[in-house]
Amino acid sequence: MTHPASETTTDHAVRRITVTTARPFEALRRDFEATVPALDLGALERQASRGATWGELERSAGYGAAYDLCRFWTHDPSALLHLAGNDAPSRTYLIGNLAMAARLFRIEPGTALHAPLRIELHVDRKGATVLSFDQPGSQLAGYGLNKATQAGYELDRLLGDLLEALGLPRPAALRR
């Protein structure tokens, strides 16, 4: 049975965080990708199909890696957008913590919309490198569930730690 579409509105605002730096795009991209390792989802799915336990999957996902964050997905839209006359380099990432994503899914499956987190890196029209994302705490607070909101604050802290590790300032919204 199909149900009619519905809309949910909340009285909270999602906070967009933008960090602008004079650091060259390629240097920040390399450091970001080295600090947030790629997760091999195909390998994890194969392990799961062979009967691996959750603990085995977590260990294979590289936990204990710096900042407990990994890249679920990386996209370089630059090549296609260059054809449309856009020359700015860009990368888009989905990053997160596999255990945190699983915890959020148990709380509310709809949180998969926000975990893993979308991060965007590009060069702006003035030539500065920009890293931007929506604050996880503000996104997950929209579910009105205390456990989801608390997980969002944990992700805020992880992102703040990551920014500092990359030599970028920690925004006030990501303070511990």
Side-chain angles (χ1 to χ4, degrees):
M1 172 178 203
T2 302
H3 298 281
S6 65
E7 287 185 30
T8 302
T9 57
T10 60
D11 58 356
H12 85 286
V14 172
R15 177 180 286 136
R16 169 105 0 97
I17 295 176
T18 301
V19 178
T20 303
T21 179
R23 193 158 163 199
F25 173 85
E26 278 303 316
L28 185 54
R29 181 198 61 77
R30 277 191 309 272
D31 289 349
F32 182 89
E33 291 180 7
T35 305
V36 183
L39 180 66
D40 186 344
L41 289 172
L44 292 176
E45 289 168 355
R46 288 188 295 279
Q47 277 185 276
S49 70
R50 290 191 298 266
T53 66
W54 179 250
E56 290 168 334
L57 291 180
E58 281 187 303
R59 285 188 294 282
S60 294
Y63 283 90
Y67 313 103
D68 284 334
L69 294 169
C70 58
R71 282 183 287 127
F72 288 73
W73 177 78
T74 302
H75 177 60
D76 175 5
S78 303
L80 292 175
L81 297 178
H82 176 75
L83 296 173
N86 300 299
D87 291 328
S90 175
R91 291 290 187 288
T92 305
Y93 305 98
L94 289 180
I95 72 166
N97 175 299
L98 187 62
M100 179 71 70
R103 187 170 113 204
L104 280 163
F105 196 82
R106 279 191 303 275
I107 294 166
E108 166 56 54
T111 60
L113 180 62
H114 305 292
L117 315 165
R118 188 179 181 115
I119 305 278
E120 204 277 334
L121 179 65
H122 70 273
V123 174
D124 69 12
R125 293 175 188 189
K126 296 176 184 174
T129 301
V130 178
L131 180 75
S132 60
F133 53 91
D134 291 338
Q135 180 189 9
S138 68
Q139 290 178 315
L140 293 168
Y143 288 90
L145 301 168
N146 186 50
K147 289 181 179 182
T149 301
Q150 291 305 314
Y153 294 149
E154 290 176 46
L155 289 168
D156 289 352
R157 183 190 52 78
L158 289 175
L159 281 174
D161 292 348
L162 173 63
L163 292 176
E164 287 181 346
L166 293 170
L168 300 171
R170 180 188 290 260
L174 304 181
R175 297 265 183 243
R176 296 174 238 232

